[in-house]
Amino acid sequence: MGKKLRNLALAALAIGLAAPAAITGQSKKQSDDAAVIRNLDIFNSIYKELNTFYVDTLDAKQTITTAINSMLDNIDPYTEYIPAEDQDDFMVISTGEYGGIGSYIMTRHDSTGVCISEPYEGSPAAKAGLKPGDRIVAIDGDTATKWKDGQVSKRLKGQANTQLKLTVVRPYVSDSVKTFTITREKIKVNPVPYYGVTHGNLGYINITTYNEHTAEQVKAAVEALQHNPAVKCLVLDLRGNGGGLVDEAVKMIGFFVPKGTEVLQTKGRNTLNFKSYKTTEDPIAPTMPLVVMVDGGSASASEITAGALQDLDRAVVVGSRSFGKGLVQQTRQLPFDGMLKVTVAKYYIPSGRLIQEIDYSHRNADGEAQRIPDSLTTVYHTAHGREVRDGGGITPDIKVTYPELNRLVYNIVRDNWAFDFATKYAAEHASIAPAAEFAVTDTIFDEFKRFIDPKRFNYDKVCEQGLSQLKKVAEAEGYMTDSTKAEFAKLEKLLKHNLDHDLDNNRKAISQLLSGEILKRYYYQRGVIENSLNSDEALDKTEAMISKPGEYEHLLNLDAKTKTKAKTPAKRAASKKRNGK
């Protein structure tokens, strides 16, 4: 009997044995296996028929990859297929290292190709003299004007100590065509681009990712700030930090809590995916007041850090609710050097709660994954008895409401108006004020307004669009009388958009954009972060909290600490059981 016939026989046998009233565990497994075999056979046959009879030639790699990605998209967004040619980018995220010139690049939406977005400070790109806005026209003599950023990136990367010749066009200068010979280096992505003292007594540490160097860089920053007598509180800024390596998060938490503290559990389908994470070293800052800042961009390892320190009542969390990713991924090797990054477990922080916000196992009729409603979340308790909830990210102890980006500001970013203005400004100004002191003055803002060409500036005029839609509805439903038309005419005059007025009305948000773009051309990311601390509501609230006697202790319910310590082992076990551990 051939292999295919044996498989079909197994499928028929499994279906025949699966009685409707009661299916044993073994027969259900056989039925599931038969369904897999049957559907793989169907898929194989469909592709064979298409490949034989479809009017155009199929691209086998593209077609199969599309099918794979479609299947994985229906599971969760973190389970993904990584073909061999894309694994370098994946390893950069994990290790924070790669061979290249050390620069962000971007594809412009105005059909002018790929340009340098931001060289890393101290990188080969920066040392060679590349600047944001430089448009890449050739690499090693090959014309690159029509390449996408992926193709450019692959050519810029390579073994350390190898050279490449890069030709760019630099806008807003007379000698615009420039050629650079650059020696690639081993680039290490710095997870801590800035730390220092701000607001008088706050030891601030900005952490952008969790790669193999994160814990060591944070440790160095903590130790340096602790030696500064002005520092009364440490602040870990995890806003916008999408996470990374879980082990680095556990190491970081260990800087602030006793050795041997359990900070995380992961649980999967079977015992092989259960793991308990405990701190392994003595803390370096066990008692200094600690604040962790999060927002909607804080995910995964960032949420483990913030959530564990909150559950252990070791830190006050400030900001807005975090993203809500409580899933753990592992990589599995596939044939032909492929890789599958697959979700294998969920993680639970010390109170026992899971902070996963979206339930990918239950979907609406349209296939969209469901969010866990607040009404179905469960109350858990921190080490000192404070109430916390599962199912929706980390909710801060001190909440900060960040303004939403409106359409005007969005289009300024999307169409590179702020980016291009900053490139022009840097070409015309050899230097600016120190990063901490720089501000967008009236003169700079007026220059930006003149820089924008109203004929080329496109933005959604929401009021006018809404009014137009309302007129259509009024006409369809028979309400468009002469008096109604007159009222609409009045509204049209009142709500007519004026670009100059709209720019002035959004000056604060636009100035922050301009400031960041201009600063990175002189002081790199370090200067952007340092300057942003001057107008940071989360830091303002942190300073106010630390300055108010007893407020930090009150927020962490530290007066309950002695009561918690006095619990018997049986009571502590009962408490853990109630919290789902």
Side-chain angles (χ1 to χ4, degrees):
M1 186 183 291
K3 184 176 180 182
K4 183 178 292 186
L5 289 177
R6 286 200 305 271
N7 290 339
L8 290 173
L10 174 63
L13 179 63
I15 294 170
L17 292 175
I23 301 176
T24 65
Q26 180 63 28
S27 62
K28 184 179 187 305
K29 183 179 185 306
Q30 289 176 333
S31 179
D32 289 343
D33 290 344
V36 171
I37 293 167
R38 185 168 59 251
N39 284 287
L40 285 175
D41 199 23
I42 292 170
F43 178 84
N44 183 59
S45 297
I46 289 173
Y47 184 80
K48 182 179 178 180
E49 296 297 318
L50 286 172
N51 197 43
T52 304
F53 297 109
Y54 186 65
V55 64
D56 294 321
T57 303
L58 293 180
D59 183 325
K61 180 180 177 181
Q62 180 181 354
T63 304
I64 300 299
T65 300
T66 299
I68 292 171
N69 290 335
S70 180
M71 174 180 65
L72 297 182
D73 285 345
N74 198 46
I75 299 173
D76 69 53
Y78 314 111
T79 296
E80 57 180 317
Y81 168 57
I82 306 169
E85 60 268 25
D86 293 337
Q87 289 181 30
D88 285 346
D89 292 337
F90 175 75
M91 295 308 296
V92 169
I93 296 172
S94 302
T95 65
E97 296 182 359
Y98 68 96
I101 68 170
S103 177
Y104 292 112
I105 60 174
M106 70 176 186
T107 299
R108 294 186 59 96
H109 298 297
D110 55 6
S111 302
T112 57
V114 177
C115 74
I116 299 295
S117 173
E118 181 183 354
Y120 302 158
E121 186 172 10
S123 68
K127 288 184 285 190
L130 287 173
K131 296 182 181 297
D134 286 351
R135 185 164 61 88
I136 297 171
V137 295
I139 301 176
D140 288 332
D142 295 332
T143 301
T145 53
K146 296 186 179 181
W147 291 1
K148 300 297 183 183
D149 52 6
Q151 189 175 1
V152 171
S153 177
K154 283 180 170 56
R155 290 291 296 269
L156 295 179
K157 291 176 181 176
Q159 292 290 330
N161 300 317
T162 60
Q163 286 189 339
L164 66 85
K165 185 172 289 186
L166 188 65
T167 302
V168 303
V169 171
R170 180 165 295 170
Y172 309 113
V173 297
S174 55
D175 185 17
S176 61
V177 179
K178 298 181 180 295
T179 299
F180 302 89
T181 299
I182 306 173
T183 301
R184 297 181 181 93
E185 294 179 9
K186 186 176 183 179
I187 306 299
K188 291 185 178 182
V189 178
N190 185 4
V192 182
Y194 176 83
Y195 71 86
V197 181
T198 185
H199 289 61
N201 58 9
L202 302 180
Y204 172 86
I205 305 172
N206 186 282
I207 307 163
T208 59
T209 189
Y210 283 77
N211 61 33
E212 290 182 349
H213 309 289
T214 299
E216 65 180 88
Q217 293 292 331
V218 172
K219 183 177 182 180
V222 169
E223 290 177 335
L225 291 169
Q226 277 189 305
H227 287 113
N228 189 324
V231 174
K232 304 301 180 187
C233 173
L234 292 171
V235 178
L236 306 180
D237 189 350
L238 300 178
R239 291 173 295 182
N241 185 323
L245 302 179
V246 170
D247 287 338
E248 293 296 300
V250 174
K251 290 178 186 177
M252 191 191 305
I253 297 165
F255 299 154
F256 309 102
V257 301
K259 180 180 178 180
T261 301
E262 184 180 65
V263 297
L264 181 68
Q265 287 186 355
T266 60
K267 303 175 185 178
R269 285 176 61 181
N270 52 56
T271 55
L272 293 175
N273 297 121
F274 174 84
K275 187 173 182 179
S276 172
Y277 293 81
K278 296 182 179 181
T279 58
T280 59
E281 297 183 6
D282 291 326
I284 59 175
T287 59
M288 179 172 281
L290 181 66
V291 165
V292 180
M293 300 201 301
V294 297
D295 64 7
S298 307
S300 188
S302 295
E303 295 176 294
I304 291 172
T305 303
L309 292 171
Q310 184 182 55
D311 280 0
L312 297 168
D313 288 311
R314 179 60 188 90
V316 171
V317 179
V318 177
S320 58
R321 192 166 75 170
S322 64
F323 182 80
K325 178 180 180 286
L327 306 177
V328 181
Q329 285 75 44
Q330 284 183 355
T331 55
R332 310 288 298 179
Q333 287 302 129
L334 299 174
F336 305 103
D337 298 321
M339 182 186 292
L340 177 68
K341 181 164 71 75
V342 57
T343 298
V344 296
K346 298 176 180 179
Y347 68 71
Y348 298 81
I349 49 182
S351 66
R353 57 180 169 145
L354 169 70
I355 56 88
Q356 176 65 28
E357 181 173 15
I358 300 178
D359 182 3
Y360 294 103
S361 63
H362 295 88
R363 295 176 181 265
N364 299 325
D366 62 358
E368 184 179 356
Q370 299 176 8
R371 293 185 179 274
I372 300 171
D374 292 340
S375 59
L376 295 183
T377 59
T378 305
V379 173
Y380 291 79
H381 294 88
T382 68
H384 299 159
R386 296 188 298 142
E387 288 191 356
V388 288
R389 287 185 171 270
D390 65 357
I394 304 300
T395 299
D397 305 303
I398 298 176
K399 296 181 178 62
V400 178
T401 301
Y402 299 104
E404 292 186 6
L405 192 68
N406 66 27
R407 299 300 300 182
L408 174 77
V409 179
Y410 168 79
N411 287 332
I412 287 174
V413 175
R414 183 196 64 184
D415 296 334
N416 298 310
W417 288 103
F419 182 89
D420 291 343
F421 174 78
T423 299
K424 181 175 183 293
Y425 187 89
E428 297 170 351
H429 298 81
S431 64
I432 59 173
E437 301 172 14
F438 178 78
V440 173
T441 62
D442 291 344
T443 300
I444 295 175
F445 192 76
D446 287 341
E447 284 181 24
F448 175 68
K449 288 169 63 177
R450 290 193 297 271
F451 177 77
I452 290 180
D453 181 356
K455 295 178 182 177
R456 294 192 300 113
F457 185 78
N458 298 311
Y459 69 112
D460 300 328
K461 302 175 178 64
V462 179
C463 286
E464 293 177 15
Q465 292 173 354
L467 189 60
S468 175
Q469 185 64 29
L470 183 59
K471 286 175 68 176
K472 291 178 181 178
V473 173
E475 288 174 352
E477 297 189 354
Y479 287 99
M480 190 57 77
T481 63
D482 290 341
S483 60
T484 306
K485 291 179 181 178
E487 294 300 322
F488 269 116
K490 291 178 183 178
L491 275 174
E492 285 175 343
K493 290 181 180 179
L494 291 171
L495 299 179
K496 191 171 183 62
H497 278 267
N498 179 284
L499 179 59
D500 192 69
H501 170 269
D502 289 345
L503 291 170
D504 286 336
N505 201 40
N506 290 277
R507 174 166 177 170
K508 182 177 180 181
I510 295 171
S511 293
Q512 290 174 340
L513 283 175
L514 295 178
S515 178
E517 287 292 351
I518 292 171
L519 282 161
K520 72 173 62 169
R521 283 154 174 76
Y522 298 89
Y523 303 112
Y524 301 94
Q525 199 57 228
R526 168 180 50 85
V528 177
I529 297 168
E530 184 179 6
N531 182 269
S532 71
L533 305 183
N534 295 329
S535 56
D536 191 319
E537 187 178 350
L539 283 172
D540 293 342
K541 288 193 173 186
T542 298
E543 180 188 20
M545 181 263 295
I546 291 297
S547 300
K548 185 177 179 180
E551 182 66 12
Y552 177 82
E553 293 76 11
H554 171 69
L555 286 169
L556 294 180
N557 203 19
L558 290 178
D559 56 348
K561 188 174 182 180
T562 53
K563 297 177 185 178
T564 304
K565 282 186 174 181
K567 281 185 178 180
T568 65
K571 286 183 178 179
R572 286 199 297 271
S575 175
K576 284 188 175 183
K577 186 175 181 181
R578 286 194 302 273
N579 282 341
K581 297 193 75 172

